[in-house]
Amino acid sequence: MEISYKEKTFFTNKDLALSVIGGRWKIAIIWCLLQQSPLRLSEIQSYLPEVNQRMLIRQLRELEEDKIVTRVVYPVVPPKVEYQLSEVGLLLEPVVTSICDWGDHFRTFLEENSAETSGK
Amino acid sequence: MEISYKEKTFFTNKDLALSVIGGRWKIAIIWCLLQQSPLRLSEIQSYLPEVNQRMLIRQLRELEEDKIVTRVVYPVVPPKVEYQLSEVGLLLEPVVTSICDWGDHFRTFLEENSAETSGK
DNA sequence: CGGCATCCGACAAGATACTG
DNA sequence: CAGTATCTTGTCGGATGCCG
């Protein structure tokens, strides 16, 4: 069994943060919910077609347990469930933004590199 | 065989970024190299005792391939190898910082929550 | 529609022993 | 010290079927 952060008081901030958002698809999910909110499961799926449903649900559950994401179930037929970021979850916006910004830098870096290589 | 980002031109910035720094221990490694640079393998290990050596080496290799980290080998006995962040790698500082900052927020959030729970 | 359960193959990760 | 080889364990992902 895994030891949750609740038992680990000696975590550094980065360890604590990574234990929560370090999951394979979590940043991507949070990114979606920053783009648009609330979102239904099927909508998240269309944002992230590369993630299979089982994984998506798992990661959503974990985010929900950690109170990053809130899940609202409407008792209707057919079922309707909406996901959105909690208050702490919304505070992740700078994280996602900085990652996207860096992605931009990195893309530029790659292009410069390939230009050098092809221009020899 | 895995398709590298080099063949994928349709990536969004976030996908590109995550494909590079999304590895399980990569943020942690980059964090180390931001604390102190250069670092030897054994030093990184002491920073990150929870990561086993094989994984550490793998992730370092991947970061090296993506030109995030540079690896310098000194031809001496006993062997000496130093790792440090490249220029693009150093640009990841805001990412790591924002993650740590959020970790701080989240810790506060947890403490407030447990205070509520225990104080009922 | 949202979600869980199951089976199954592929591969990532962990522990440990070993080499130059 | 840095890194490899090997074996075991665990996680991921697809497919499929079932339920409210």
Side-chain angles (χ1 to χ4, degrees):
Chain A
M1 176 193 159
E2 200 178 332
I3 297 173
S4 101
Y5 56 79
K6 287 149 195 163
E7 284 104 69
K8 290 210 180 187
T9 54
F10 49 85
F11 265 176
T12 66
N13 286 341
K14 98 171 189 307
D15 291 328
L16 178 60
L18 289 178
S19 73
V20 175
I21 61 169
R24 184 154 179 190
W25 303 109
K26 288 184 181 172
I27 292 288
I29 292 173
I30 291 159
W31 176 84
C32 292
L33 291 171
L34 282 169
Q35 304 304 303
Q36 190 187 326
S37 213
L39 281 176
R40 305 181 60 168
L41 178 63
S42 52
E43 295 173 318
I44 302 179
Q45 280 186 280
S46 61
Y47 267 111
L48 306 173
E50 71 273 22
V51 187
N52 76 36
Q53 182 180 280
R54 197 165 46 105
M55 267 301 112
L56 202 53
I57 292 173
R58 260 201 221 175
Q59 305 260 308
L60 278 166
R61 285 282 184 282
E62 290 183 16
L63 289 170
E64 192 192 350
E65 281 170 24
D66 290 335
K67 307 263 195 289
I68 309 300
V69 161
T70 53
R71 178 167 165 270
V72 181
V73 183
Y74 296 89
V76 295
V77 180
K80 178 176 175 179
V81 179
E82 286 185 344
Y83 294 92
Q84 59 186 313
L85 292 169
S86 69
E87 270 189 50
V88 232
L90 284 169
L91 294 177
L92 281 163
E93 193 269 336
V95 174
V96 175
T97 302
S98 63
I99 289 175
C100 292
D101 287 353
W102 182 83
D104 195 35
H105 286 168
F106 188 64
R107 187 186 298 279
T108 307
F109 166 76
L110 286 178
E111 283 163 6
E112 283 173 1
N113 243 34
S114 67
E116 272 177 37
T117 317
S118 65
K120 68 171 176 184
Chain B
M1 173 193 157
E2 197 179 334
I3 298 174
S4 97
Y5 55 79
K6 287 149 196 162
E7 283 104 65
K8 290 211 182 186
T9 52
F10 49 86
F11 264 176
T12 67
N13 287 340
K14 98 171 190 307
D15 291 328
L16 178 60
L18 289 178
S19 74
V20 175
I21 60 170
R24 184 152 180 190
W25 303 110
K26 288 185 182 173
I27 292 287
I29 292 173
I30 290 159
W31 176 84
C32 291
L33 291 171
L34 283 169
Q35 305 303 303
Q36 190 186 329
S37 212
L39 281 177
R40 304 180 61 167
L41 178 64
S42 51
E43 294 173 316
I44 302 179
Q45 281 187 279
S46 60
Y47 267 110
L48 306 173
E50 70 273 22
V51 188
N52 79 35
Q53 185 179 277
R54 197 174 57 102
M55 265 301 109
L56 202 53
I57 292 173
R58 260 207 218 174
Q59 305 260 309
L60 278 166
R61 286 280 186 284
E62 290 182 18
L63 289 170
E64 191 193 350
E65 281 170 25
D66 291 334
K67 306 263 195 289
I68 309 300
V69 160
T70 53
R71 177 167 165 271
V72 182
V73 183
Y74 296 89
V76 295
V77 180
K80 178 175 175 177
V81 178
E82 284 185 344
Y83 295 91
Q84 59 186 315
L85 291 170
S86 69
E87 270 190 50
V88 233
L90 283 169
L91 293 177
L92 282 164
E93 192 269 336
V95 174
V96 176
T97 303
S98 64
I99 289 175
C100 292
D101 286 352
W102 183 83
D104 195 35
H105 286 301
F106 188 64
R107 188 185 297 280
T108 307
F109 166 76
L110 287 178
E111 282 162 6
E112 283 173 2
N113 243 33
S114 66
E116 270 177 39
T117 316
S118 65
K120 66 172 174 183

